[in-house]
Amino acid sequence: MERILYFFFIVLFTPLLSLAGGDTTTIPLNRQVFHDKIKAEQRRADRADGKQDGVIRVSSNPEINSEVSDAIFRKINVLRNDIEIDSQLATNNDKIRYLRYVEYLVRDFTNSWRSHRFAPALAPMLVDNFTEVMFADINGESMAPLIQKVPYEVGLINSEIFSENAGFKECQKILFLKFCKLHPDKILANIYPYIDELFADSLVLEAFNNNPSQVYSYAQSINSPQGKLIRRNTDKRIKTIVQLSGLQERALFYFPFLDDLINGRQTMENIAKFAGKSDSNYDSVGYYKLLVNTEMTYYPRLVSGDTPIAMLGSDGLLDMLQRKAIQHFITPINELHENPNPAIRFKAIEPLNAQDLYYMMVLGENEIYTSSYKYSFDRMMKELGPDPHGDSLLLLVNFDHFKKFIKMAAGYNKLDTFLRSMPDKSEILMQAFVSNLEKSGTLEDAVDVADSYGSITDTTLQKSMLANIEANEQRCIKNGNDRGKKIYNLLKTIFLSADEKNGIDLSKEIGIPPVYTVNYDYLADDSGRIIEQVFFYGDKDGKMSYNGFLTSFPRSDWQITQKKEWIEIKSIKGKPIWIFANLPLDNETDKDADAQKDLIDYLNDQGLSPTIVIHRGHSYHLPYTIKQLPDNAKIIMLGSCGGYQNLKKILQEAPDANIISTKQTGAMDVNKPIIDALDNTLRNGNNIDWRLMWSGLESYFDKAPRELRETFEDYIPPQKNLGALFIKAYSRGGEDFE
């Protein structure tokens, strides 16, 4: 269908293509080389998706791909022709200059797309804006008004190409202000050239509203340009930051309470009793409890639209609460997971009450181990007294993060226990769980609902959730709420598809790639090869994982070639599977990061586009893998991935990905059988059937020791990763999913 749509464009615009291609316009030999360079960049853009076929695939939506292809092929060819016939470009050098600009445009499009600095669906706007700027430049006019009206990424590429235009300096200011709206966390790091501009003081407030700690960091540098800019500001909030910057130690411990400090509801002396002056007199439990109590006080204001200062953002209340929950409680009990004595393993959480444990669990979603969660949950219920009432706890915390709490309870098979503690109100709670999803600023709540359904085994509860989803869909239809109608319709369709008896094909129903199967040809490039990339990190565990990884490739079936920074593994029997993995070099000096970058550059230069990506490293390495994901990836396997933010980021980089994730840290002894099953299935020329593959893995791990079997049970195959399916479905057609 996609090819048909594109050839429709070809037929429709045949006269223009013929003219632009030079068939009717004579190109002097001394300029032919510059046209050839543009054509070379067009071919490079074409093969950037892994296939040289006249279609630039940047999305699962064929219409978007056709529009992008039209922009990079037809519109660029029209530009080449326009330059040749423009009488205002009187000299050979004039024409060469603008032909070079067109070459830079296509080159920068491809480079920025491949490095994830540019949304490729913007290609038509990029080329159209370039065209306008080019003719303005030819006429001696400023490009500033034209750069003002386009998104930052488009304006940045085009303004840099036309850096000799009279409006270039004004464009730099325009683009900086656009940049600040997109990246308020980077305002102060980049404001130096604009400190004397009229907008500089207001940008300090923007930086403060996003993250007060960045203002604090620069305020400490009294004599720096940024420090002087901050200290001249007369806003009361900024003055309080300046006061805190005078503290030589532990000032960041005060940031979560900035709202109360400014309004006199809290004193620095009271906070100091818990924060201490050093680690030696720091009361970690008391400080955490102070954070919890402040969160419980602030949250009702947040719901009403009155966001307390420094509640959100880096070093804000929520960020600090999460970090301290992980640092002081989750990490200690996780690290003792092999200790059989609960009194020793869980000693760290003994001082915590029910609400303290509640926040520890919901904010530690991506870190807490299964056994750690289950014990903490049971202790939380015990802290509620001999006759625990779950609704009392939720009222105490103002229902803060309650949808995340329900999702986690379902995932760890504790939801029934919690609902039994409030029998008269459990149905009301579950109705609230799925209600008003359209009102949230993000899709996180909807993703939590999707993931919860995938974890619930109680058929009565499943039916109740589905009925509530359908009721909310009807409510949104009645109210004319398109966002809500879409959210609930997708959830309903995905939930129904989870039962094979319903016979729902998600590919046909909601336009996403197949969920249960992945065909070999879908993964292969135009040479029939499947390219796989593995990310390793150079810490102790990473080196161990790498050594175990190599045992999966017997020399009878695979050829292994080691380069300076990576290893190449190619099948010598069966179908061509090419695997590239960076060496786990010293991560203290970023040699592993350099190896990853150099490997990616090599793959790009060779026209090799990985469709399978595997992350082998701790969760704190995951953001670095996500940033480098090829958008053509169709299968991604990661450890410790289940959180919404990670799923969202992964699918932003690779929108068609089938994701294998785990609720806790990935284990080498589990990863290896999964990867072996994946690679050998494809090497044998078979399509991937996730249900069949997972059934085989379940049989394998049924015979494994209990601890290994339980670890495997925390892995989520693509067809059960309902949250990822929902994000993928919602974002089809190029729509943003926040």
Side-chain angles (χ1 to χ4, degrees):
M1 181 63 183
E2 188 173 66
R3 295 292 296 274
I4 293 172
L5 281 170
Y6 182 64
F7 285 121
F8 170 76
F9 272 96
I10 295 289
V11 173
L12 183 63
F13 294 111
T14 295
L16 286 175
L17 285 169
S18 178
L19 178 67
D23 294 340
T24 60
T25 302
T26 303
I27 301 173
L29 287 176
N30 63 341
R31 285 202 298 276
Q32 184 64 56
V33 65
F34 299 101
H35 286 268
D36 290 342
K37 287 181 178 181
I38 295 171
K39 293 176 184 177
E41 289 297 338
Q42 288 174 307
R43 289 192 295 272
R44 179 168 168 262
D46 185 6
R47 68 172 180 268
D49 61 8
K51 294 185 178 181
Q52 184 106 43
D53 58 0
V55 180
I56 300 175
R57 292 177 179 81
V58 302
S59 166
S60 58
N61 187 324
E63 291 183 13
I64 291 177
N65 295 335
S66 294
E67 290 170 1
V68 171
S69 302
D70 177 62
I72 298 303
F73 297 134
R74 182 187 66 82
K75 289 185 178 181
I76 291 298
N77 289 341
V78 170
L79 273 171
R80 293 196 294 117
N81 180 75
D82 287 344
I83 290 168
E84 285 296 337
I85 65 175
D86 196 314
S87 60
Q88 288 183 271
L89 301 177
T91 70
N92 182 59
N93 286 341
D94 287 338
K95 294 184 185 295
I96 288 174
R97 180 168 70 254
Y98 287 99
L99 288 171
R100 282 188 177 276
Y101 289 169
V102 175
E103 176 195 346
Y104 299 157
L105 174 66
V106 184
R107 179 200 64 192
D108 291 352
F109 161 76
T110 306
N111 290 347
S112 298
W113 164 31
R114 301 306 295 165
S115 60
H116 305 296
R117 299 193 309 270
F118 182 81
L122 292 174
M125 183 187 297
L126 175 71
V127 177
D128 290 346
N129 181 248
F130 175 93
T131 304
E132 291 181 304
V133 171
M134 184 183 80
F135 285 117
D137 194 67
I138 291 172
N139 292 326
E141 300 168 358
S142 170
M143 64 178 168
L146 300 170
I147 298 299
Q148 177 71 66
K149 69 179 185 178
V150 294
Y152 171 76
E153 305 97 305
V154 172
L156 181 65
I157 290 176
N158 285 337
S159 67
E160 289 294 333
I161 292 173
F162 290 91
S163 58
E164 296 180 5
N165 182 273
F168 180 67
K169 286 190 175 181
E170 186 180 351
C171 287
Q172 287 182 301
K173 296 178 188 178
I174 291 170
L175 289 170
F176 178 66
L177 291 173
K178 289 177 182 286
F179 172 85
C180 291
K181 286 185 178 180
L182 293 171
H183 306 286
D185 57 318
K186 298 177 181 178
I187 289 175
L188 292 176
N190 295 277
I191 201 171
Y192 175 68
Y194 309 99
I195 279 176
D196 294 326
E197 298 292 337
L198 294 176
F199 53 69
D201 289 325
S202 63
L203 286 179
V204 171
L205 292 178
E206 287 291 327
F208 170 84
N209 290 332
N210 172 260
N211 178 9
S213 66
Q214 69 168 306
V215 180
Y216 161 79
S217 298
Y218 282 97
Q220 283 186 306
S221 303
I222 300 174
N223 295 318
S224 70
Q226 289 95 332
K228 291 177 180 178
L229 173 65
I230 292 166
R231 288 172 180 273
R232 83 185 186 200
N233 200 292
T234 59
D235 188 275
K236 182 180 179 181
R237 295 166 294 176
I238 305 300
K239 286 191 169 188
T240 303
I241 292 287
V242 171
Q243 180 187 358
L244 285 176
S245 72
L247 296 176
Q248 295 303 309
E249 298 176 348
R250 308 180 84 76
L252 293 181
F253 279 71
Y254 296 81
F255 269 90
F257 315 102
L258 196 56
D259 187 87
D260 286 347
L261 286 170
I262 290 171
N263 293 288
R265 292 188 293 264
Q266 184 62 273
T267 66
M268 294 180 66
E269 290 74 20
N270 185 58
I271 300 170
K273 289 189 296 186
F274 305 107
K277 292 186 177 180
S278 66
D279 288 345
S280 62
N281 56 4
Y282 167 48
D283 180 358
S284 59
V285 174
Y287 184 74
Y288 175 74
K289 285 178 173 287
L290 184 62
L291 290 169
V292 169
N293 290 334
T294 305
E295 169 76 11
M296 290 164 59
T297 302
Y298 281 2
Y299 186 72
R301 291 177 53 192
L302 183 67
V303 172
S304 66
D306 176 22
T307 304
I309 297 167
M311 182 173 183
L312 307 174
S314 176
D315 298 309
L317 174 60
L318 201 58
D319 180 65
M320 186 69 81
L321 182 55
Q322 181 180 52
R323 280 160 46 196
K324 295 306 177 185
I326 294 169
Q327 176 187 353
H328 299 313
F329 308 110
I330 292 177
T331 299
I333 63 179
N334 279 353
E335 289 179 345
L336 293 171
H337 71 281
E338 294 182 357
N339 193 306
N341 187 342
I344 296 174
R345 180 181 175 187
F346 296 102
K347 183 178 180 180
I349 65 174
E350 282 183 5
L352 304 186
N353 59 30
Q355 57 265 37
D356 298 332
L357 291 163
Y358 175 92
Y359 278 106
M360 182 196 82
M361 290 187 291
V362 295
L363 295 178
E365 177 192 14
N366 290 339
E367 303 292 334
I368 195 165
Y369 289 180
T370 299
S371 56
S372 298
Y373 174 88
K374 288 182 175 180
Y375 184 93
S376 299
F377 177 92
D378 291 343
R379 185 172 181 84
M380 178 192 73
M381 298 302 291
K382 185 178 179 181
E383 285 291 315
L384 291 175
D387 184 22
H389 290 274
D391 51 329
S392 298
L393 172 63
L394 294 177
L395 285 169
L396 190 62
V397 299
N398 300 297
F399 285 81
D400 187 10
H401 289 86
F402 93 96
K403 292 187 177 182
K404 181 72 64 185
F405 175 78
I406 296 296
K407 174 243 180 134
M408 293 180 69
Y412 293 106
N413 298 317
K414 290 290 186 179
L415 183 56
D416 287 346
T417 302
F418 188 75
L419 293 179
R420 281 197 301 270
S421 74
M422 44 185 297
D424 297 334
K425 299 175 182 176
S426 60
E427 180 60 28
I428 297 174
L429 176 66
M430 294 309 294
Q431 288 176 4
F433 178 54
V434 303
S435 295
N436 299 317
L437 299 178
E438 76 279 5
K439 294 182 180 179
S440 173
T442 73
L443 293 177
E444 183 166 7
D445 287 347
V447 170
D448 285 345
V449 169
D451 282 334
S452 298
Y453 190 88
S455 301
I456 293 171
T457 56
D458 185 311
T459 55
T460 302
L461 188 53
Q462 284 182 335
K463 289 178 181 177
S464 175
M465 279 188 69
L466 184 57
N468 287 329
I469 291 292
E470 290 173 335
N472 277 279
E473 180 188 21
Q474 292 304 312
R475 172 181 59 81
C476 291
I477 291 173
K478 182 179 179 181
N479 295 336
N481 189 309
D482 291 336
R483 173 180 162 85
K485 187 166 55 174
K486 179 175 181 179
I487 287 173
Y488 287 110
N489 180 261
L490 289 176
L491 287 172
K492 179 184 71 175
T493 305
I494 290 170
F495 290 178
L496 288 172
S497 76
D499 186 345
E500 294 181 37
K501 295 177 183 176
N502 291 322
I504 291 180
D505 184 342
L506 289 181
S507 301
K508 293 181 179 177
E509 293 287 339
I510 54 181
I512 63 176
V515 173
Y516 299 107
T517 60
V518 183
N519 289 345
Y520 182 96
D521 292 341
Y522 183 62
L523 298 170
D525 62 16
D526 51 7
S527 298
R529 303 167 301 197
I530 291 178
I531 310 300
E532 177 179 315
Q533 183 177 1
V534 188
F535 287 83
F536 283 100
Y537 291 84
D539 51 20
K540 180 180 177 182
D541 289 343
K543 292 174 181 177
M544 288 178 58
S545 294
Y546 177 78
N547 292 331
F549 170 75
L550 292 181
T551 64
S552 295
F553 305 100
R555 296 302 177 104
S556 58
D557 297 330
W558 303 87
Q559 173 187 311
I560 300 177
T561 305
Q562 182 162 324
K563 304 289 186 177
K564 181 180 178 181
E565 294 181 299
W566 64 81
I567 194 167
E568 299 177 0
I569 304 170
K570 299 179 180 179
S571 60
I572 55 177
K573 290 182 180 178
K575 292 286 188 177
I577 313 297
W578 290 13
I579 303 170
F580 298 84
N582 66 280
L583 300 180
L585 304 175
D586 182 20
N587 73 326
E588 294 292 331
T589 56
D590 287 335
K591 288 184 178 178
D592 53 356
D594 292 339
Q596 291 169 3
K597 179 182 179 301
D598 291 342
L599 174 55
I600 290 170
D601 289 344
Y602 170 78
L603 293 174
N604 286 337
D605 290 343
Q606 298 298 312
L608 302 174
S609 183
T611 52
I612 301 176
V613 177
I614 298 172
H615 168 80
R616 298 294 298 270
H618 288 293
S619 57
Y620 48 78
H621 293 310
L622 183 56
Y624 302 102
T625 297
I626 293 175
K627 285 181 181 178
Q628 302 176 91
L629 284 174
D631 50 15
N632 195 46
K634 301 298 190 297
I635 296 175
I636 299 176
M637 179 175 170
L638 319 118
S640 190
C641 161
Y644 166 74
Q645 292 299 334
N646 284 331
L647 287 177
K648 174 180 136 180
K649 290 173 184 174
I650 290 165
L651 291 172
Q652 281 175 328
E653 304 296 351
D656 292 334
N658 287 249
I659 300 173
I660 302 172
S661 61
T662 175
K663 295 176 186 174
Q664 59 170 292
T665 302
M668 182 169 62
D669 290 339
V670 176
N671 289 335
K672 186 178 183 302
I674 296 174
I675 296 170
D676 288 352
L678 184 65
D679 288 338
N680 288 319
T681 297
L682 294 171
R683 185 172 62 84
N684 291 329
N686 297 322
N687 299 329
I688 298 294
D689 184 318
W690 294 119
R691 290 166 296 192
L692 184 63
M693 178 182 290
W694 223 254
S695 177
L697 289 166
E698 286 170 346
S699 298
Y700 172 83
F701 283 105
D702 279 344
K703 303 169 187 175
R706 179 185 59 82
E707 185 176 343
L708 189 60
R709 184 172 67 253
E710 290 179 351
T711 301
F712 168 72
E713 288 171 355
D714 280 332
Y715 278 69
I716 306 171
Q719 78 276 14
K720 291 187 177 180
N721 205 334
L722 300 189
L725 294 182
F726 175 81
I727 294 174
K728 194 183 298 186
Y730 190 90
S731 62
R732 81 189 192 281
E735 292 186 59
D736 184 26
F737 48 91
E738 301 94 8

